[in-house]
Amino acid sequence: MLAAVDHVQLAAPPGSEPQLRTYYEDILGMTEIPKPPVLAARGGCWFRYGPVQLHLGIEDDFRPAKKAHPGLRVTSIEAYARRLEEHGAKVVWDDSLPGHRRFYSEDPVGNRLEFLEPVPASG
């Protein structure tokens, strides 16, 4: 039986690790976690915040996906969006998911990321 999502893997172009570290650590507030040596030799980097893990693997013929993306639940979504914008990231709000505030952004290599926060039920 499935118990949880362990991680989400995104692709990145060769040599992009410094940009990814700046974005995922300094802007998103994640912590880099060590890759096992055999996997570290392939490049890329892994990040964690609490139970959330994002793995960035190197792909020689990298092209960011246009639609595929992880959905990352956040708190204080307005403040989080401002944080991204203050670091130069584009934030595109989308109000089409009932019961949620959400926006899309991209990491420095063009991976699409969705950030969402449930709206408390009224009444």
Side-chain angles (χ1 to χ4, degrees):
M1 281 196 287
L2 290 175
V5 173
D6 184 77
H7 68 275
V8 172
Q9 170 105 6
L10 299 171
S16 62
E17 291 91 344
Q19 291 174 280
L20 297 171
R21 287 184 178 101
T22 297
Y23 181 81
Y24 286 94
E25 288 184 308
D26 299 343
I27 299 174
L28 296 192
M30 301 183 86
T31 300
E32 185 170 6
I33 55 177
K35 292 178 70 172
V38 68
L39 298 177
R42 300 178 189 172
C45 30
W46 294 358
F47 301 94
R48 163 182 276 154
Y49 187 92
V52 177
Q53 283 192 46
L54 294 176
H55 296 182
L56 283 291
I58 298 304
E59 191 171 284
D60 288 331
D61 188 25
F62 170 75
R63 278 166 284 161
K66 300 290 184 206
K67 206 71 164 151
H69 63 273
L72 304 170
R73 187 167 289 184
V74 299
T75 57
S76 304
I77 195 164
E78 295 282 345
Y80 206 78
R82 275 193 307 277
R83 177 185 175 123
L84 269 66
E85 288 175 321
E86 287 168 358
H87 285 89
K90 184 177 177 182
V91 169
V92 178
W93 288 95
D94 181 343
D95 63 358
S96 61
L97 181 63
H100 292 81
R101 298 274 340 260
R102 74 174 175 170
F103 66 87
Y104 291 94
S105 192
E106 292 181 353
D107 73 7
V109 299
N111 288 310
R112 185 179 193 213
L113 304 171
E114 176 183 356
F115 298 89
L116 63 160
E117 180 177 37
V119 174
S122 59

PDB file of all heavy atoms in Angstrom, residues 28 42 85 96 106 116 118 122:
ATOM      1  N   LEU A  28      13.637  29.656  -1.081  1.00  0.00           N
ATOM      2  CA  LEU A  28      12.546  28.821  -0.565  1.00  0.00           C
ATOM      3  C   LEU A  28      12.740  28.416   0.889  1.00  0.00           C
ATOM      4  O   LEU A  28      11.791  27.991   1.536  1.00  0.00           O
ATOM      5  CB  LEU A  28      12.368  27.563  -1.429  1.00  0.00           C
ATOM      6  CG  LEU A  28      11.939  27.779  -2.877  1.00  0.00           C
ATOM      7  CD1 LEU A  28      11.527  26.450  -3.501  1.00  0.00           C
ATOM      8  CD2 LEU A  28      10.829  28.797  -3.009  1.00  0.00           C
ATOM      9  N   ARG A  42      26.673  11.790 -10.027  1.00  0.00           N
ATOM     10  CA  ARG A  42      25.866  12.132 -11.206  1.00  0.00           C
ATOM     11  C   ARG A  42      25.515  13.615 -11.261  1.00  0.00           C
ATOM     12  O   ARG A  42      24.905  14.078 -12.220  1.00  0.00           O
ATOM     13  CB  ARG A  42      24.564  11.337 -11.197  1.00  0.00           C
ATOM     14  CG  ARG A  42      24.748   9.852 -11.216  1.00  0.00           C
ATOM     15  CD  ARG A  42      23.402   9.167 -11.146  1.00  0.00           C
ATOM     16  NE  ARG A  42      23.551   7.745 -10.947  1.00  0.00           N
ATOM     17  CZ  ARG A  42      22.555   6.920 -10.690  1.00  0.00           C
ATOM     18  NH1 ARG A  42      21.323   7.379 -10.593  1.00  0.00           N
ATOM     19  NH2 ARG A  42      22.781   5.639 -10.524  1.00  0.00           N
ATOM     20  N   GLU A  85       9.061  37.221  -4.895  1.00  0.00           N
ATOM     21  CA  GLU A  85       9.148  38.414  -5.743  1.00  0.00           C
ATOM     22  C   GLU A  85      10.339  39.292  -5.344  1.00  0.00           C
ATOM     23  O   GLU A  85      11.015  39.844  -6.223  1.00  0.00           O
ATOM     24  CB  GLU A  85       7.852  39.215  -5.659  1.00  0.00           C
ATOM     25  CG  GLU A  85       6.700  38.529  -6.370  1.00  0.00           C
ATOM     26  CD  GLU A  85       5.382  39.250  -6.207  1.00  0.00           C
ATOM     27  OE1 GLU A  85       5.099  39.770  -5.113  1.00  0.00           O
ATOM     28  OE2 GLU A  85       4.624  39.266  -7.197  1.00  0.00           O
ATOM     29  N   SER A  96      -8.358  29.528  -9.630  1.00  0.00           N
ATOM     30  CA  SER A  96      -9.286  28.543 -10.181  1.00  0.00           C
ATOM     31  C   SER A  96      -9.417  27.256  -9.365  1.00  0.00           C
ATOM     32  O   SER A  96     -10.157  26.358  -9.758  1.00  0.00           O
ATOM     33  CB  SER A  96      -8.901  28.209 -11.628  1.00  0.00           C
ATOM     34  OG  SER A  96      -7.601  27.650 -11.670  1.00  0.00           O
ATOM     35  N   GLU A 106       8.583  29.797 -11.074  1.00  0.00           N
ATOM     36  CA  GLU A 106       9.571  28.910 -11.700  1.00  0.00           C
ATOM     37  C   GLU A 106      10.876  29.017 -10.951  1.00  0.00           C
ATOM     38  O   GLU A 106      11.239  30.099 -10.475  1.00  0.00           O
ATOM     39  CB  GLU A 106       9.805  29.292 -13.160  1.00  0.00           C
ATOM     40  CG  GLU A 106       8.637  29.054 -14.059  1.00  0.00           C
ATOM     41  CD  GLU A 106       8.930  29.434 -15.502  1.00  0.00           C
ATOM     42  OE1 GLU A 106      10.005  30.019 -15.791  1.00  0.00           O
ATOM     43  OE2 GLU A 106       8.073  29.162 -16.352  1.00  0.00           O
ATOM     44  N   LEU A 116       0.525  26.542  -2.708  1.00  0.00           N
ATOM     45  CA  LEU A 116      -0.874  26.686  -2.358  1.00  0.00           C
ATOM     46  C   LEU A 116      -1.090  26.610  -0.847  1.00  0.00           C
ATOM     47  O   LEU A 116      -0.315  26.011  -0.120  1.00  0.00           O
ATOM     48  CB  LEU A 116      -1.751  25.667  -3.081  1.00  0.00           C
ATOM     49  CG  LEU A 116      -1.566  24.182  -2.815  1.00  0.00           C
ATOM     50  CD1 LEU A 116      -2.825  23.452  -3.238  1.00  0.00           C
ATOM     51  CD2 LEU A 116      -0.396  23.610  -3.578  1.00  0.00           C
ATOM     52  N   PRO A 118      -4.607  26.167   1.778  1.00  0.00           N
ATOM     53  CA  PRO A 118      -6.059  26.040   1.915  1.00  0.00           C
ATOM     54  C   PRO A 118      -6.646  27.291   2.556  1.00  0.00           C
ATOM     55  O   PRO A 118      -6.038  27.913   3.426  1.00  0.00           O
ATOM     56  CB  PRO A 118      -6.236  24.834   2.837  1.00  0.00           C
ATOM     57  CG  PRO A 118      -4.936  24.096   2.772  1.00  0.00           C
ATOM     58  CD  PRO A 118      -3.890  25.133   2.516  1.00  0.00           C
ATOM     59  N   SER A 122     -15.502  28.990   5.918  1.00  0.00           N
ATOM     60  CA  SER A 122     -16.236  30.040   6.638  1.00  0.00           C
ATOM     61  C   SER A 122     -17.447  29.448   7.321  1.00  0.00           C
ATOM     62  O   SER A 122     -18.024  28.462   6.866  1.00  0.00           O
ATOM     63  CB  SER A 122     -16.650  31.152   5.669  1.00  0.00           C
ATOM     64  OG  SER A 122     -17.454  30.627   4.652  1.00  0.00           O
TER      65      SER A 122
END
